[in-house]
Amino acid sequence: MKKLNTLYAWLLLLPALVLLVSFTHAPTILTVWDSFFFAGRAGQPARFAGTENYLLMLEDEVFWQVMANNAWYLIGTVPTSIAIALMMALWVNSKLSGRSLLRLAYFTPTILPMIAVANIWLFFYSPEIGLFNKILDAVGADPVNWLGDPDWALPSLMLITVWKEAGFFMIFYLAALQTINPELNQAATLEGSSRWNSFRRITFPLLLPTTLFVMVNAVLNAFKLVDHLFILTKGGPNNATNLLLYYIYENAFSFFDTHYAATLTVVMLIMLMLLAAIQFGWLERRIHYR
Amino acid sequence: MTELATAKLSVKALRRSYDNTHAVSDIDFQINQGEFVVLLGPSGCGKSTTLKMVAGLETPCSGSVELDGRDITHLPPGKRQLAMVFQSYALFPHLSVAENILFGLKARRTPADIQQSRLADVVALVNLSDHLHKKPSQLSGGQCQRVALARAIVAEAPLCLMDEPLSNLDAKLRNDMRAELRAIQRRLGMTLLYVTHDQVEAMSMADQIILMNQGEIVQSGSPQALYNNPASTFVAQFIGSPPMNLMNADNLILGVRPEHIHRDINGYPASVVTCDYHGADTIIEVELHDFDQQRIKLRHPGHLTLVPGSAFPVSWEKQYEHYFSCSDGQRINAPQTHSTHQTTTSEMTHVQAL
């Protein structure tokens, strides 16, 4: 009887297990496995490389540039979009007329497909007819080649990301704000607490679970960005906007070096896991969950 | 006019309307130093709205609120120096009991040594000493209630507001807390404005009851005054349990409280409808044959088991009769006192003449 129950249990788990193993675990293990081999040539099987691929990676200048780009991208987009999202949510949550329209307006960037978004911004950024340069021109400033100048290309991309992510994160903050009993703020106000003090001592601590969730997602998104790069810069100029996932894509499908791509993927996986562990470990301890 | 000079809180002609409907209007009352005043009324009568206007959480359309002779009608809530206990307690879930209690003192930048001594006093007063470092989620409902109470006491505000603070407790705890709250209020000399829909709470705790209905004050006065001289059929039925019996008699409404009706062989003929045993007494509902079979309830001490339909003649003394107008339900005879005992006949003819 007990054996039969165990069999049932496994049978019930089977569909989920098959999907999970074939699309998550097996590719992960295969990727790690692949990263220890060189590509086979002209019908010859792949050669064992040991840590050779990793050593090559450490000498790859583009890899280091991509990592630096990604770090700047992370630092530039994550705190900014979270801060803006929180401010917008606090504002939209207050009693003002036409707030449902405002909420929709903030959420629009999230509804739009990434490719469409990128095309809109391409128009804003284009050197001759672009909106931003028209404005610069109107105030008498020199035009900027937003996406063509290595100094400006990455900040320009970061702006798009902040614009897109802030609206999405705002929805989470808004939902969290609406679960907070308004009497808490009334009580604080009656006790003579200023608006800033109430925010710092009550609202913000109660929003920490949401902040953690949003932060983990923002960090993941910072590493997952590919589609903007396709349309806007293709990683250029001179790798100024090349980010890790796009570099992996280039190696795998443009240079057909799947083993080096696998090596980079392993590095990315380890980094993401470390970042998530740090965030959970650091914040979890100081969060109040209801 | 000496009352005006000593009034702690004075509310004048307060009015608030939402979308052309009056939520409350013509609210006038005063609270003296150290008084326990209860705003009583059924749900939706505007008592909470009135309290929120005193607190500054709602803005009145007109009228004024004065605290210690100072007009606070348009002051923000934090500048009014009030303390408040919310129905939901409004405890900060991420802060410990001690931090919850000290929140207001910290916000007002009270010196740390004063904070600590006041905290020690207040937790001893409400029996929370063992729970100072717990979070609200680790406390029982009664303990949460005490934290909310402590937070209101520690502010040492000139006026403390309470919005149905006991309604989330179970019946036994509610009874205990009623007595405890009253004792604390007396001991500290707190001036309290307390909102409730529970007439038992109001009767047992208040110095003064302000009874509201449909956004207006119906009657205010001491619990005894409201009980003995209800100003209208609404007051008569709202105060007391079971409520006052109201009977149609000669174009008037006659009211008699259940505890004033007793069995009397020579009384009005009546027969039993239901019989409810309550322990200390039995509530009996009877049909009066001389009054169009109208039903009234009476309170009979002890345990009685009566078969429905059996004869149960009843009577009451004239001094316990109340008369109300059929058209608007307002009281129409002069307020009775026990000494008017002998004059009931002349009073009756007076009423008939009306």
Side-chain angles (χ1 to χ4, degrees), chain A residues 87-99:
Chain A
M87 280 191 284
M88 291 197 299
L90 287 169
W91 190 41
V92 175
N93 193 41
S94 60
K95 283 175 188 148
L96 48 97
S97 50
R99 63 175 165 172

Side-chain angles (χ1 to χ4, degrees), chain A residues 181 183-194 197-198 201-203 205-206 288 290, chain B residues 55 57 77-78 82 84 86-88 90-95 99 103-104 106-108 151:
Chain A
N181 180 358
E183 286 194 346
L184 292 185
N185 262 311
Q186 292 180 355
T189 311
L190 266 165
E191 302 266 356
S193 168
S194 64
N197 188 56
S198 299
R201 298 255 291 145
I202 298 162
T203 314
L206 290 177
H288 167 81
R290 261 167 288 186
Chain B
L57 299 171
L82 302 169
M84 182 158 172
F86 288 82
Q87 185 175 5
S88 67
L91 300 183
F92 308 124
H94 58 294
L95 298 181
E99 285 172 310
F103 185 89
K106 278 190 181 157
R108 295 187 199 276
R151 193 170 64 183

Side-chain angles (χ1 to χ4, degrees), chain B residues 89-156:
Chain B
Y89 311 142
L91 300 183
F92 308 124
H94 58 294
L95 298 181
S96 70
V97 167
E99 285 172 310
N100 260 291
I101 295 173
L102 289 177
F103 185 89
L105 296 185
K106 278 190 181 157
R108 295 187 199 276
R109 300 183 193 286
T110 312
D113 50 330
I114 297 181
Q115 284 186 25
Q116 288 310 315
S117 70
R118 282 209 210 164
L119 177 67
D121 289 347
V122 80
V123 293
L125 188 71
V126 297
N127 278 329
L128 279 172
S129 313
D130 300 337
H131 309 289
L132 279 183
H133 300 291
K134 290 186 184 166
K135 295 275 171 70
S137 57
Q138 295 165 286
L139 301 177
S140 69
Q143 288 166 336
C144 285
Q145 215 278 326
R146 284 159 191 275
V147 178
L149 189 60
R151 193 170 64 183
I153 292 172
V154 86
E156 296 183 0

Side-chain angles (χ1 to χ4, degrees), chain B residues 150 214 289 306:
Chain B
Q214 296 180 336
H289 302 316
L306 297 164

Side-chain angles (χ1 to χ4, degrees), chain A:
Chain A
M1 192 60 205
K2 201 174 173 204
K3 265 189 181 163
L4 210 60
N5 271 343
T6 317
L7 184 67
Y8 276 140
W10 280 108
L11 280 173
L12 288 170
L13 283 175
L14 196 63
L17 211 58
V18 167
L19 289 175
L20 208 60
V21 167
S22 48
F23 292 107
T24 305
H25 299 317
T28 310
I29 293 163
L30 273 179
T31 303
V32 177
W33 180 259
D34 269 0
S35 72
F36 293 112
F37 287 87
F38 287 127
R41 268 187 214 93
Q44 285 183 335
R47 274 186 306 118
F48 182 70
T51 55
E52 208 56 23
N53 277 327
Y54 290 90
L55 293 175
L56 276 174
M57 181 187 76
L58 293 179
E59 287 164 22
D60 180 3
E61 274 175 34
V62 180
F63 167 73
W64 288 112
Q65 193 185 352
V66 164
M67 289 297 278
N69 285 346
N70 227 323
W72 282 119
Y73 183 77
L74 188 83
I75 294 164
T77 60
V78 175
T80 328
S81 52
I82 291 178
I84 293 176
L86 183 54
M87 280 191 284
M88 291 197 299
L90 287 169
W91 190 41
V92 175
N93 193 41
S94 60
K95 283 175 188 148
L96 48 97
S97 50
R99 63 175 165 172
S100 51
L101 208 69
L102 207 59
R103 285 180 193 177
L104 183 70
Y106 285 143
F107 200 52
T108 316
T110 313
I111 303 168
L112 292 175
M114 285 290 254
I115 303 294
V117 165
N119 274 307
I120 295 168
W121 281 86
L122 198 57
F123 160 70
F124 288 167
Y125 282 143
S126 30
E128 301 299 325
I129 53 153
L131 184 71
F132 288 160
N133 277 350
K134 290 262 184 207
I135 294 168
L136 283 183
D137 196 38
V139 298
D142 287 337
V144 174
N145 188 355
W146 299 100
L147 296 173
D149 185 331
D151 291 337
W152 281 102
L154 193 60
S156 301
L157 277 182
M158 282 162 32
L159 181 65
I160 302 177
T161 308
V162 170
W163 171 81
K164 189 176 165 65
E165 304 242 285
F168 184 53
F169 296 151
M170 182 206 70
I171 297 299
F172 291 103
Y173 273 125
L174 194 58
L177 278 175
Q178 285 173 349
T179 63
I180 297 179
N181 180 358
E183 286 194 346
L184 292 185
N185 262 311
Q186 292 180 355
T189 311
L190 266 165
E191 302 266 356
S193 168
S194 64
R195 284 178 75 171
W196 166 246
N197 188 56
S198 299
F199 172 76
R200 194 177 58 88
R201 298 255 291 145
I202 298 162
T203 314
F204 188 71
L206 290 177
L207 287 176
L208 268 184
T210 313
T211 304
L212 175 65
F213 172 78
V214 161
M215 200 151 93
V216 170
N217 271 285
V219 169
L220 288 178
N221 285 347
F223 280 97
K224 281 180 358 192
L225 186 83
V226 173
D227 25 17
H228 281 172
L229 300 181
F230 269 117
I231 302 292
L232 293 168
T233 62
K234 301 213 187 304
N238 192 19
N239 287 320
T241 59
N242 204 346
L243 301 180
L244 189 54
L245 192 61
Y246 191 75
Y247 190 48
I248 292 172
Y249 162 81
E250 277 188 328
N251 272 294
F253 301 108
S254 301
F255 313 149
F256 294 105
D257 191 348
T258 48
H259 294 275
Y260 188 50
T263 311
L264 293 169
T265 308
V266 170
V267 170
M268 179 152 144
L269 271 178
I270 291 170
M271 267 195 327
L272 286 182
M273 285 195 290
L274 276 178
L275 279 171
I278 291 169
Q279 292 181 82
F280 276 112
W282 171 66
L283 268 171
E284 230 19 2
R285 267 179 287 129
R286 55 198 72 207
I287 285 185
H288 167 81
Y289 285 102
R290 261 167 288 186

Side-chain angles (χ1 to χ4, degrees), chain B residues 17-335:
Chain B
S17 48
Y18 303 102
D19 304 330
N20 296 325
T21 56
H22 289 308
V24 296
S25 53
D26 298 326
I27 303 295
D28 276 281
F29 64 88
Q30 285 171 7
I31 302 179
N32 295 325
Q33 171 70 44
E35 217 179 4
F36 195 130
V37 175
V38 172
L39 269 175
L40 176 68
S43 352
C45 74
K47 56 192 190 301
S48 286
T49 307
T50 306
L51 191 79
K52 281 183 178 155
M53 286 192 286
V54 173
L57 299 171
E58 293 225 18
T59 319
C61 297
S62 62
S64 70
V65 181
E66 282 175 24
L67 183 67
D68 286 323
R70 187 173 56 123
D71 188 352
I72 59 166
T73 319
H74 300 290
L75 279 186
K79 297 259 184 268
R80 297 186 177 209
Q81 288 187 297
L82 302 169
M84 182 158 172
V85 176
F86 288 82
Q87 185 175 5
S88 67
Y89 311 142
L91 300 183
F92 308 124
H94 58 294
L95 298 181
S96 70
V97 167
E99 285 172 310
N100 260 291
I101 295 173
L102 289 177
F103 185 89
L105 296 185
K106 278 190 181 157
R108 295 187 199 276
R109 300 183 193 286
T110 312
D113 50 330
I114 297 181
Q115 284 186 25
Q116 288 310 315
S117 70
R118 282 209 210 164
L119 177 67
D121 289 347
V122 80
V123 293
L125 188 71
V126 297
N127 278 329
L128 279 172
S129 313
D130 300 337
H131 309 289
L132 279 183
H133 300 291
K134 290 186 184 166
K135 295 275 171 70
S137 57
Q138 295 165 286
L139 301 177
S140 69
Q143 288 166 336
C144 285
Q145 215 278 326
R146 284 159 191 275
V147 178
L149 189 60
R151 193 170 64 183
I153 292 172
V154 86
E156 296 183 0
L159 175 70
C160 182
L161 309 175
M162 298 196 178
D163 189 4
E164 312 217 4
L166 305 183
S167 60
N168 289 338
L169 303 178
D170 60 59
K172 164 94 175 65
L173 204 54
R174 195 155 55 217
N175 279 329
D176 296 347
M177 279 308 291
R178 271 209 305 261
E180 201 175 325
L181 189 59
R182 182 67 167 140
I184 288 174
Q185 181 264 336
R186 285 257 169 83
R187 202 165 127 193
L188 300 179
M190 292 169 82
T191 311
L192 246 169
L193 179 58
Y194 184 108
V195 163
T196 183
H197 62 266
D198 182 349
Q199 55 100 11
V200 181
E201 262 175 39
M203 291 298 284
S204 59
M205 293 195 289
D207 293 315
Q208 190 196 156
I209 295 178
I210 298 164
L211 179 56
M212 291 181 67
N213 188 32
Q214 296 180 336
E216 287 178 20
I217 295 179
V218 188
Q219 189 175 3
S220 59
S222 66
Q224 295 85 332
L226 263 69
Y227 192 78
N228 294 332
N229 291 307
S232 67
T233 49
F234 173 80
V235 183
Q237 293 230 288
F238 199 83
I239 308 274
S241 172
M244 183 184 281
N245 294 298
L246 296 178
M247 294 165 270
N248 291 316
D250 303 328
N251 298 321
L252 288 172
I253 296 171
L254 167 64
V256 185
R257 293 217 175 264
E259 54 271 40
H260 295 144
I261 303 174
H262 48 85
R263 181 187 233 171
D264 183 354
I265 305 295
N266 303 317
Y268 302 108
S271 56
V272 174
V273 181
T274 57
C275 198
D276 256 354
Y277 178 50
H278 283 208
D281 44 30
T282 308
I283 308 293
I284 302 159
E285 189 174 19
V286 297
E287 246 174 19
L288 289 169
H289 302 316
D290 289 359
F291 290 82
D292 292 334
Q293 311 297 337
Q294 289 183 79
R295 290 175 178 191
I296 58 169
K297 284 183 176 170
L298 63 111
R299 190 187 287 273
H300 193 93
H303 189 187
L304 265 186
T305 322
L306 297 164
V307 186
S310 57
F312 195 93
V314 293
S315 74
W316 53 86
E317 285 168 43
K318 293 289 176 208
Q319 68 182 63
Y320 295 125
E321 289 183 344
H322 304 258
Y323 287 95
F324 305 95
S325 152
C326 259
S327 50
D328 58 4
Q330 294 300 308
R331 183 179 194 86
I332 45 178
N333 56 351

